Amino acid sequence: MRRFLTVGDIGDLHAALAEAKEVKANPFNWQHLGKNKTIIIIFFNSSLRTRLSTQKAALNMGMNPIVLNINGDSWKLETEMGVIMDGDKTEHLREAIPVIGSYCDIIGVRSFAEFKDRKFDYEETIINQFVQYSGRPVISLETATRHPCQAFADLITIDEYKGQIKKPKVVLTWAPHPRALPQAVPNSFAEWMRAAEQAGMIDFVVTNPEGYDLAPEFMEGVKLERDQKKAFEGADFIYAKNWSSYEQYGQILSKDMSWTVDAEHMSWTNNAKFMHCLPVRRNMIVSDEVIDSPNSIVIPEAANRVVSAQVVIKRMLEKL
């Protein structure tokens, strides 16, 4: 594996889940692969789970992790080509990336959507420059449009908690938020759940208000149900997440609190497990009583971020 950007990069999902179980059961079995190898983990944006889980996964593999916070620990970096660098950006990614590549064996990159230019964001300009110029395997630690490590961890968690249900019903629901959030997490969740549905693992439904449809490439072949109550009926897993508008890019069109997942909403389900990628705005996205309930699996879901990252790192090290 030379890059991990989309669900297509992981290959067969059944094999990936089997490998995740093996890695979770024996996290230190492959330290020989990472001995004397370095991963540089680059953050253009803040992080808690992604930073800690990726470092932990690398350490489990015997690697030396280095974390670089762009705009905090380094020169401010210009990301666009062809610009006259007469502002506050001191160095261009075109030079910085190959330098970073010369110091490591694997690179992880986290860079959010800026909501200034949808075309720029959806072309994944920043991470694609790392793929093109670093000469190293590249892991997406969340980009403008996707968060594959999170979605892989979500699938691992669903597989662990589905019990005897052969094809659980999984629902992705929009929920209100006071800020405009990227579409990366819901995009990736939809992409991975669509692939899982095609593999016969789950049934998948997305529910969101008018104006909040995800980009067409992520919704192709996915069932969209406008009626949140109807979508929740018979659900085994509820994945709540806010995202800003794709069509009216980056805008907040609604803060409708009737979409907040509370006990009444969960009563419409098949005693569903509650999921969220975290951090979560309590009593906006989800009520206290739901996220603190026995059916909330947000903590084991977050813990599985180590597992998803470690499977990816393991596969990259095996190909070095």
Side-chain angles (χ1 to χ4, degrees), residues 47-315:
S47 173
L48 189 153
R49 277 150 296 279
T50 298
R51 174 170 177 162
L52 296 178
S53 63
T54 308
Q55 284 183 272
K56 174 61 175 170
L59 290 167
N60 286 352
M61 292 299 299
M63 297 191 77
N64 304 309
I66 299 173
V67 176
L68 177 64
N69 295 304
I70 299 297
N71 303 328
D73 299 336
S74 74
W75 302 112
K76 289 187 177 181
L77 298 180
E78 179 59 63
T79 60
E80 298 189 52
M81 302 298 289
V83 299
I84 297 172
M85 291 177 57
D86 60 353
D88 65 341
K89 306 292 179 62
T90 306
E91 185 166 7
H92 201 287
L93 272 182
R94 184 62 185 86
E95 289 76 57
I97 290 171
V99 169
I100 292 167
S102 72
Y103 298 152
C104 66
D105 302 280
I106 296 173
I107 298 175
V109 181
R110 180 183 182 94
S111 177
F112 289 174
E114 295 186 355
F115 290 143
K116 295 177 182 177
D117 182 339
R118 189 174 77 180
K119 183 175 183 291
F120 178 87
D121 286 343
Y122 269 72
E123 286 178 348
E124 293 292 13
T125 305
I126 293 176
I127 198 162
N128 283 332
Q129 289 186 57
F130 278 90
V131 171
Q132 185 175 359
Y133 300 126
S134 70
R136 301 295 183 218
V138 175
I139 303 171
S140 167
L141 302 178
E142 188 171 3
T143 64
T145 67
R146 287 178 169 91
H147 197 348
C149 284
Q150 178 65 56
F152 185 16
D154 296 334
L155 182 59
I156 292 167
T157 307
I158 290 168
D159 187 58
E160 288 178 342
Y161 281 86
K162 68 181 181 181
Q164 299 302 311
I165 304 172
K166 291 185 177 180
K167 288 184 66 176
K169 180 179 177 180
V170 179
V171 177
L172 170 63
T173 180
W174 180 92
H177 197 282
R179 295 176 54 210
L181 297 186
Q183 295 112 28
V185 169
N187 282 349
S188 263
F189 189 77
E191 183 176 57
W192 281 70
M193 293 304 113
R194 178 178 60 191
E197 186 171 52
Q198 291 170 348
M201 296 178 175
I202 66 165
D203 290 321
F204 181 51
V205 179
V206 176
T207 184
N208 58 260
E210 293 279 355
Y212 281 102
D213 291 357
L214 296 173
E217 60 261 39
F218 295 103
M219 288 301 294
E220 183 178 353
V222 173
K223 182 180 179 182
L224 174 63
E225 175 56 67
R226 294 274 182 223
D227 186 327
Q228 191 187 31
K229 184 174 184 179
K230 186 177 289 187
F232 274 44
E233 289 176 356
D236 302 294
F237 293 89
I238 298 296
Y239 196 105
K241 186 70 181 76
N242 174 267
W243 58 90
S244 59
S245 175
Y246 171 77
E247 288 298 333
Q248 299 182 53
Y249 192 56
Q251 293 187 29
I252 299 174
L253 307 181
S254 170
K255 295 181 184 177
D256 185 353
M257 296 289 286
S258 72
W259 284 76
T260 300
V261 179
D262 59 16
E264 180 184 356
H265 286 70
M266 296 301 285
S267 73
W268 305 333
T269 73
N270 182 33
N271 195 32
K273 299 290 191 291
F274 176 81
M275 301 179 69
H276 189 279
C277 62
L278 302 181
V280 66
R281 298 274 184 141
R282 283 173 174 252
N283 303 307
M284 284 286 299
I285 300 287
V286 59
S287 68
D288 288 335
E289 59 187 342
V290 170
I291 197 168
D292 291 332
S293 76
N295 278 23
S296 173
I297 55 173
V298 297
I299 303 305
E301 178 186 0
N304 278 332
R305 289 294 308 281
V306 176
V307 182
S308 64
Q310 189 169 343
V311 171
V312 172
I313 292 169
K314 174 178 174 288
R315 289 189 175 190

